[in-house]
Amino acid sequence: MMRSVLLAAAAATTMAAPLAAQDDPVNLRFGVWVGPTHPLMQGTQAWMDAIEEASDGSIEITLYPSRQLGAAVDHYDLARDGIADITLVNPGYNAGRFPVISYGELPFRFNHAVAGSRALDQWYRAYADQEMSEVKFCMAFMHSPGTIHTTSPVSGPEDLDGLSIRPANGTLGNYLSSLGATTIQASAAEMRDLLTRGTADGTASPYSSLVTWGIADAATHHLDMPMYAANFVYVISPMAWDRMSEAQQAVMDEHCSTDWAGRIVELWAEEDLEERAVLEEDSAHTFSAPTEAQRTAWLEAADPAIARWREQVEASEVDAAEAEAAIEAAIAENDAGL
């Protein structure tokens, strides 16, 4: 059902976009570090198909999944340097490099991937040209709010003391460190190895990642509280942008939108709910709900992370108060808050 909705939306976008039948064809190399069966790629395929159809076939996009063009941490630079034409970037893998968008990584901000993606993208467009000036920003989005999955029960912040946790990004890493955890910076693709070797006691992830990266059997305890979301962006190489005609650029602009930022994660969000339901039926998995006092402690512990975000944003010569007010307005407009 959801797939048909996506395809119908893609067709509607195609009808509205300008045609470019007379343009010379361009083939865009699309580098992603997730595998071709990752749930994000389902929505992305609909996006790619819509672009090809809207351009009358003059824009073709060839996917290079599973880090074929480089490591996950390098994907922004792959687009900047023209090694790839479009890339999937997790700004959190480059800790401190993109301070403004890291607001989306702060704990306890968002309630759902689709609404959160629309709020994040709508807000970040005012800052992307400054913070990601070396590339052409396309769209920003996020996965479903994730939590901590561990090899032993965690329900309150006090349970983190002495545990080694792989955070999804530097922002969450600082938060967990402030609560007594030792953090291990690694990409999602490295999670299983860390857990099975005993190098890490847990990871911060959405539920779908436990299946995607094969770690459901390694981390069987789940904090039953949405904690964080990871930000992602699709960016376009300036060299690739310059190869396109004005009509082709218009097609790309039509598909690099807040609307598509929400659409592209719909299937991913749906799969996250499905995977959680599967784990709930498995007696090997336990879900630890925090008490009210523990919940309050989790929330209050995020205050230093918010203060640190403000300092980093100010250091990048962006008005933090203005940026914070703008993202809060976008969250409210899209009904995306917890």
Side-chain angles (χ1 to χ4, degrees):
M1 175 64 178
M2 185 64 73
R3 187 182 303 277
S4 64
V5 171
L6 271 175
L7 292 174
T13 300
T14 296
M15 293 174 64
L19 300 180
Q22 75 280 9
D23 292 316
D24 292 335
V26 294
N27 191 303
L28 303 178
R29 297 159 298 168
F30 191 177
V32 301
W33 37 270
V34 299
T37 61
H38 189 282
L40 173 60
M41 292 297 98
Q42 299 175 63
T44 297
Q45 186 62 55
W47 179 72
M48 292 163 54
D49 291 344
I51 290 171
E52 183 171 349
E53 187 170 354
S55 68
D56 266 4
S58 73
I59 301 175
E60 295 183 2
I61 301 176
T62 302
L63 195 67
Y64 290 83
S66 307
R67 296 168 286 170
Q68 290 183 36
L69 299 182
V73 69
D74 295 328
H75 271 55
Y76 178 88
D77 293 336
L78 293 178
R80 180 197 65 187
D81 298 338
I83 297 170
D85 299 318
I86 310 172
T87 60
L88 167 65
V89 178
N90 182 333
Y93 288 171
N94 295 262
R97 188 175 182 182
F98 307 107
V100 178
I101 199 173
S102 67
Y103 181 95
E105 301 167 357
L106 292 173
F108 314 115
R109 302 290 103 181
F110 298 94
N111 64 8
H112 192 271
V114 175
S117 293
R118 288 179 176 141
L120 181 71
D121 183 86
Q122 177 182 316
W123 164 73
Y124 188 62
R125 289 183 176 274
Y127 301 97
D129 285 348
Q130 177 178 340
E131 187 160 81
M132 298 187 179
S133 61
E134 301 159 307
V135 297
K136 165 72 175 175
F137 172 77
C138 179
M139 72 178 86
F141 51 93
M142 64 179 59
H143 62 46
S144 294
T147 189
I148 298 174
H149 312 278
T150 51
T151 56
S152 60
V154 170
S155 57
E158 66 278 4
D159 298 325
L160 287 178
D161 191 30
L163 296 186
S164 297
I165 307 291
R166 175 258 170 196
N169 48 62
T171 302
L172 188 65
N174 288 332
Y175 173 67
L176 297 175
S177 294
S178 73
L179 297 174
T182 298
T183 59
I184 301 173
Q185 297 296 333
S187 70
E190 300 171 281
M191 286 190 295
R192 179 171 179 78
D193 187 49
L194 293 172
L195 288 164
T196 55
R197 287 193 291 110
T199 305
D201 300 304
T203 182
S205 304
Y207 288 99
S208 59
S209 285
L210 303 186
V211 176
T212 298
W213 301 107
I215 61 173
D217 61 338
T220 57
H221 296 273
H222 316 284
L223 175 65
D224 197 5
M225 180 182 187
M227 176 175 284
Y228 81 100
N231 302 326
F232 306 92
V233 295
Y234 281 155
V235 298
I236 302 171
S237 165
M239 287 76 93
W241 186 255
D242 290 343
R243 292 205 314 270
M244 289 185 268
S245 70
E246 289 185 7
Q248 289 168 331
Q249 290 174 351
V251 169
M252 294 303 297
D253 277 334
E254 181 74 22
H255 292 79
C256 290
S257 67
T258 296
D259 184 46
W260 267 107
R263 291 187 206 172
I264 211 164
V265 297
E266 285 177 348
L267 290 169
W268 193 4
E270 184 178 275
E271 183 162 319
D272 200 72
L273 293 174
E274 293 171 352
E275 296 300 348
R276 174 180 169 125
V278 169
L279 297 178
E280 287 177 327
E281 295 298 318
D282 188 339
S283 61
H285 290 264
T286 60
F287 291 78
S288 300
T291 65
E292 193 58 38
Q294 288 173 325
R295 179 180 174 82
T296 298
W298 282 115
L299 294 173
E300 290 179 347
D303 289 344
I306 298 170
R308 188 179 303 110
W309 174 81
R310 292 171 182 151
E311 292 173 1
Q312 292 174 335
V313 169
E314 289 288 346
S316 69
E317 301 183 350
V318 171
D319 187 318
E322 182 179 289
E324 189 170 7
I327 184 62
E328 288 175 353
I331 289 171
E333 180 180 338
N334 290 277
D335 194 22
L338 287 175

